[in-house]
Amino acid sequence: MRSERERHERAVVALLAACGMLTSLQFTLIVPILPLMPALLHTTAADASWLITVTLLSGVVGTPVVTRLADLHGRRLMLLVSMGLLVAGSVIAAVVPGFAAVLVGRALQGFGTAVVPIGIGLLSALVSRRRAVLGIALMSGTLGMGSALGLVLAGPLLSWGGLPAVFWCSAIAGAVFCILIRLRIAEAPTGAPRAFDILGAVLLAVGLTALLLAVSRGQYWGWLSAPTLGLAALAMIGLITWLLWERRHPAPLIDVRSSLRAPILPINVASFFATAGMYANHLLTTQEALAPTATGYGLAVPTAAAGLFLLPSALTMILLAPLAARVITRFGGQRALLLGSALMAVAFVVRMLFHGGAVPVLAGSALVGAGVAFAFAAMPSLITASVPADEVATANGVNSVIRTLSGAVAAALFAFAITALPASADPAFLSEQALLLCFGGAALCGVVTAVLAAVLRLPRSQESA
């Protein structure tokens, strides 16, 4: 009986981790082929860039709403809804020709962002604590694993079957996962029935939409342009109004009082900086691989092969997830977060000192991945242990939104660095000085995360969570 239960729990963990990897893959799957989109979809480069923005936007706006509904009405139910929207979007983008259809499909794919926090909620309710810690470590690492694999798979899929193949891959995998979820995962118990905070959801959607648009489109519109400044002002007004409303609402969309208290607030701030470091690893590794040798550091690798330089990072995260879970179980999430962030900081310092060849790039990418494996496994475990059982998905959904916003900020800063300090050999790439500054900034993100981990104060009952 026990072995059968253990096999079932392992299957649940593996399935939810695979779902998380599929959803995180959506954000980078078209990044390597984005320069080809204007020709493939008969549109402009500026319009094609919306294929990235719209997925981020629907993920940021949809995740808090979907995760709250999951805590109220059923986590498996909303997991199936999120995966179903991802599959529907993938099918639309694969079958219906034209830019508008692909844009709609990409928007629907973004709702898959809620899969990871909902999955964490399911794990905390359905499997043993030891297995849940491992599952959370795996699911948390899927953000890095999936985003790295998306950069690797895009080129081969496009070469093999054209643009529809890129989306059919997601559609077929998602459909299989939906069937397996229906067959293998039970519904988790829900809390006491409560009304859904509709106005809070609207206010949060307005504020987050304006914020993400200002951050992600500011480079195209100009940071001091009227649209960017107007959206920034709208974001500030919308989020402040939302905050005031949530503090007074008897059943808020997000319990902001808990979110602004220790340890939730410092954990979320640490998530922002740790995620920025992870995305810096992706962006800078790809930059080193693609840049011409005349830049002094570039490897001039073909675009289709550049994603292979991120494989060490993805593989390291997969292989170290069980070890990260063991560290969390034995020594606590706080020490695991401190270890992971310190590793990230050291890794980026090493990359500052040693770059300009394939071996340093591959080794540096793997070392950052090791740090991410420990840090990303620790943060959701700490959050899950710090909130009531009926708010686990919602709390991890907030953390997911923060990580998505961090990725958008990292991409915007990267684009600004290229504009401010381009390489003389090719202005589409960073100069070597800018590359070193970016490595230094990423190392600083690791240091900030480590400091936050060191000063984190947890209740005694949670110190080993």
Side-chain angles (χ1 to χ4, degrees):
M1 179 69 70
R2 183 177 178 181
S3 61
E4 182 179 347
R5 177 175 175 78
E6 288 180 348
R7 283 197 299 270
H8 174 71
E9 289 188 353
R10 283 197 295 267
V12 170
V13 168
L15 175 56
L16 289 175
C19 291
M21 185 176 297
L22 176 66
T23 58
S24 60
L25 181 146
Q26 306 309 313
F27 290 96
T28 57
L29 193 57
I30 70 165
V31 170
I33 60 176
L34 190 62
L36 305 176
M37 286 298 187
L40 292 171
L41 298 175
H42 309 291
T43 188
T44 65
D47 286 344
S49 66
W50 279 97
L51 296 173
I52 302 293
T53 303
V54 74
T55 310
L56 292 171
L57 190 60
S58 59
V60 164
V61 173
T63 296
V65 174
V66 174
T67 52
R68 184 58 178 159
L69 290 172
D71 280 334
L72 292 175
H73 301 295
R75 292 169 187 168
R76 188 186 72 159
L77 171 64
M78 296 313 298
L79 178 66
L80 286 168
V81 169
S82 299
M83 290 295 297
L85 289 171
L86 187 152
V87 171
S90 301
V91 171
I92 290 171
V95 172
V96 184
F99 171 73
V102 175
L103 189 67
V104 170
R106 289 285 295 166
L108 291 175
Q109 285 182 326
F111 284 93
T113 307
V115 165
V116 170
I118 293 174
I120 290 172
L122 282 166
L123 288 171
S124 67
L126 297 180
V127 304
S128 65
R129 181 185 178 279
R130 182 178 64 86
R131 193 79 63 187
V133 171
L134 173 60
I136 290 171
L138 286 170
M139 289 210 74
S140 303
T142 58
L143 178 63
M145 301 174 205
S147 57
L149 290 175
L151 296 171
V152 174
L153 294 174
L157 285 172
L158 184 69
S159 299
W160 173 66
L163 187 58
V166 175
F167 296 110
W168 276 122
C169 171
S170 299
I172 294 171
V176 171
F177 290 158
C178 283
I179 295 171
L180 292 175
I181 290 168
R182 187 69 180 83
L183 295 175
R184 302 289 295 174
I185 297 180
E187 182 59 274
T190 57
R194 283 180 284 180
F196 181 75
D197 181 11
I198 297 176
L199 181 57
V202 172
L203 289 172
L204 183 61
V206 170
L208 289 178
T209 298
L211 178 60
L212 184 61
L213 286 175
V215 170
S216 61
R217 307 301 297 180
Q219 183 70 21
Y220 296 95
W221 296 335
W223 294 110
L224 298 178
S225 67
T228 302
L229 294 176
L231 285 168
L234 178 60
M236 183 179 299
I237 294 170
L239 292 174
I240 290 175
T241 305
W242 169 77
L243 183 64
L244 295 173
W245 170 260
E246 294 294 273
R247 289 175 66 87
R248 298 180 61 183
H249 198 279
L253 180 73
I254 296 169
D255 187 347
V256 295
R257 287 186 174 85
S258 297
S259 299
L260 294 176
R261 288 199 303 259
I264 300 298
L265 180 60
I267 294 170
N268 281 330
V269 175
S271 291
F272 182 91
F273 284 100
T275 303
M278 185 201 71
Y279 275 105
N281 185 47
H282 292 354
L283 294 167
L284 298 175
T285 299
T286 305
Q287 183 81 177
E288 288 183 285
L290 292 174
T293 55
T295 58
Y297 65 85
L299 303 178
V301 172
T303 302
L308 295 174
F309 282 80
L310 289 171
L311 272 181
S313 177
L315 292 174
T316 301
M317 283 184 272
I318 294 171
L319 294 174
L320 288 183
L323 178 59
R326 184 170 297 181
V327 169
I328 293 169
T329 302
R330 184 169 181 180
F331 300 105
Q334 183 176 8
R335 290 185 176 89
L337 177 58
L338 181 58
L339 172 62
S341 52
L343 273 175
M344 289 177 64
V346 170
F348 282 115
V349 171
V350 170
R351 297 193 71 172
M352 289 180 68
L353 300 174
F354 303 100
H355 59 278
V359 173
V361 173
L362 291 168
S365 174
L367 189 56
V368 176
V372 171
F374 286 96
F376 275 49
M379 290 180 290
S381 293
L382 288 169
I383 289 173
T384 299
S386 302
V387 298
D390 60 350
E391 295 181 11
V392 168
T394 303
N396 280 286
V398 173
N399 185 258
S400 179
V401 168
I402 289 169
R403 293 196 288 185
T404 303
L405 288 172
S406 176
V409 170
L413 290 175
F414 177 71
F416 176 77
I418 292 179
T419 303
L421 293 169
S424 56
D426 188 337
F429 295 93
L430 293 168
S431 66
E432 188 167 9
Q433 178 189 9
L435 180 74
L436 295 178
L437 288 173
C438 289
F439 279 141
L444 183 60
C445 287
V447 170
V448 172
T449 307
V451 170
L452 289 167
V455 302
L456 192 62
R457 293 292 177 262
L458 299 171
R460 287 188 178 274
S461 61
Q462 298 173 10
E463 286 177 356
S464 62

